[in-house]
Amino acid sequence: MTLTFEERLMRLAETDLNIERIKTIEKAFGNDNKNPLAVPGRALVGEGVLIKECRKKPKPRYFFLFNDILVYGTIVIQKKKYISQHIIPLNDVQIKSVNDTDNPKLRNGWLIMSPKKTFCVFATTSKEKLEWMNHISNCIEKLSNNKRKGFDQIKNIDIAPKWIPDKEADCCMRCNEVKFTMVNRRHHCRNCGYVICGDCSKNRFLLQSQSDEPLRVCYICYDTLTNNGSSNQRRITKTENNFNSTDSSDESEGEEQYHIPNPNDTKFYSISSNTRI
């Protein structure tokens, strides 16, 4: 009898090998492990290196796809140590393919969109991209089906904007006057993703889908958000005194070891440890 994707995941979650793999991942993140990954019913679907488009430049990140969450971190020692762990619930994720760029290193990409963070990742080959997108889509679909079975209401998801990379903006994208230098730093509006100067981003607004704290927004988004009067968002007055003005991201300030992605690094697991789903 042919098993469905969901049935194979359920069986995979019960295997000793799956439990061992997840515990190995927890150990690799060490003290940076934010939440227990080994929980009942969770299966490791796949893992591998993808190039993530970060704020300053694209960087390799190691991704772990589970049946309910997506986890990624910075590579310190391949297969042994990772830091800067990020956990994204798949029930809040949408994905979308993007066109190839002129840069041969930034091809086979797609967007990972969620309320807290939206970013682009790139695989080494088109086949690898298709495998990742198919497996992520299948996991999302399974979670959606389970919600419908439980008569849970399918909610509309507020997607965080994709940040425009620093290198694409020599001057502020709002005032078009301030040129960025070592003194005039780049900032990002958390509502539109534009690269903006300090004067154009003095406002803070509580975007509850992204954070429990007020976040930096440009003056145009601030006016739009406050005029909308959304009950899910709270107006913050124009002051810098009570808030941390630094941009938060998963960027590593120092030089990190660059792991060149290899398609053989990517593995998708099934009931058998040596076969793919």
Side-chain angles (χ1 to χ4, degrees):
M1 181 180 67
T2 303
L3 298 176
T4 65
F5 182 81
E6 183 173 359
E7 289 171 335
R8 281 182 282 175
L9 287 183
M10 291 175 62
R11 291 195 180 187
L12 177 61
E14 297 171 352
T15 63
D16 292 338
L17 187 56
N18 174 69
I19 296 172
E20 181 182 337
R21 287 175 181 143
I22 296 178
K23 288 183 177 179
T24 300
I25 297 169
E26 286 185 325
K27 183 178 179 181
F29 275 103
N31 294 332
D32 223 19
N33 195 55
K34 294 183 177 180
N35 294 294
L37 299 177
V39 299
R42 178 168 289 165
L44 177 63
V45 178
E47 61 178 289
V49 179
L50 295 171
I51 298 298
K52 178 179 177 290
E53 188 176 53
C54 297
R55 175 180 174 179
K56 296 184 181 300
K57 63 180 180 180
K59 296 181 179 180
R61 297 288 183 258
Y62 206 91
F63 282 78
F64 301 93
L65 174 63
F66 297 87
N67 55 332
D68 61 337
I69 59 174
L70 184 66
V71 178
Y72 69 91
T74 300
I75 304 167
V76 179
I77 303 174
Q78 178 77 344
K79 299 289 186 179
K80 292 186 179 294
K81 185 173 175 59
Y82 307 101
I83 59 173
S84 303
Q85 184 191 76
H86 292 258
I87 300 176
I88 305 174
L90 286 179
N91 56 1
D92 290 337
V93 165
Q94 299 175 18
I95 60 174
K96 180 182 178 181
S97 179
V98 298
N99 295 329
D100 287 344
T101 68
D102 294 333
N103 186 340
K105 294 182 180 179
L106 299 181
R107 294 179 180 173
N108 308 306
W110 69 97
L111 280 172
I112 296 175
M113 302 175 287
S114 75
K116 288 187 176 295
K117 203 174 186 70
T118 294
F119 54 90
C120 195
V121 292
F122 302 90
T124 308
T125 65
S126 58
K127 179 183 178 183
E128 185 186 358
K129 169 186 174 178
L130 184 61
E131 286 184 314
W132 271 105
M133 292 191 70
N134 283 343
H135 282 82
I136 294 173
S137 295
N138 285 334
C139 291
I140 293 172
E141 183 179 0
K142 180 190 75 69
L143 291 171
S144 298
N145 290 339
N146 288 342
K147 280 187 176 181
R148 294 188 182 97
K149 290 177 183 177
F151 299 102
D152 289 338
Q153 183 178 0
I154 305 299
K155 63 181 182 295
N156 293 325
I157 299 174
D158 293 326
I159 297 299
K162 176 181 177 295
W163 285 16
I164 295 175
D166 286 3
K167 64 181 180 181
E168 294 185 17
D170 293 328
C171 65
C172 176
M173 299 178 72
R174 284 308 187 195
C175 68
N176 294 315
E177 295 178 357
V178 175
K179 290 187 177 296
F180 296 122
T181 63
M182 293 293 291
V183 177
N184 294 322
R185 295 179 55 240
R186 292 172 172 83
H187 302 282
H188 277 83
C189 172
R190 301 310 199 273
N191 191 63
C192 66
Y194 277 25
V195 185
I196 47 180
C197 67
D199 285 342
C200 290
S201 61
K202 290 182 177 179
N203 301 305
R204 298 294 184 274
F205 199 87
L206 183 61
L207 302 168
Q208 291 185 340
S209 62
Q210 296 187 42
S211 174
D212 294 331
E213 299 293 330
L215 300 176
R216 181 188 299 272
V217 293
C218 68
Y219 67 90
I220 291 180
C221 286
Y222 180 81
D223 289 342
T224 300
L225 291 166
T226 52
N227 288 334
N228 284 344
S230 171
S231 60
N232 293 325
Q233 296 163 325
R234 182 162 57 88
R235 178 172 178 166
I236 306 299
T237 56
K238 295 186 178 183
T239 176
E240 297 277 350
N241 295 333
N242 298 325
F243 310 114
N244 187 342
S245 63
T246 58
D247 287 330
S248 61
S249 71
D250 67 320
E251 300 276 356
S252 298
E253 292 301 326
E255 290 296 323
E256 57 188 82
Q257 181 180 353
Y258 193 94
H259 177 87
I260 299 175
N262 186 318
N264 294 328
D265 288 334
T266 300
K267 296 180 176 64
F268 294 103
Y269 301 111
S270 66
I271 304 303
S272 170
S273 61
N274 296 319
T275 58
R276 297 189 174 197
I277 294 177

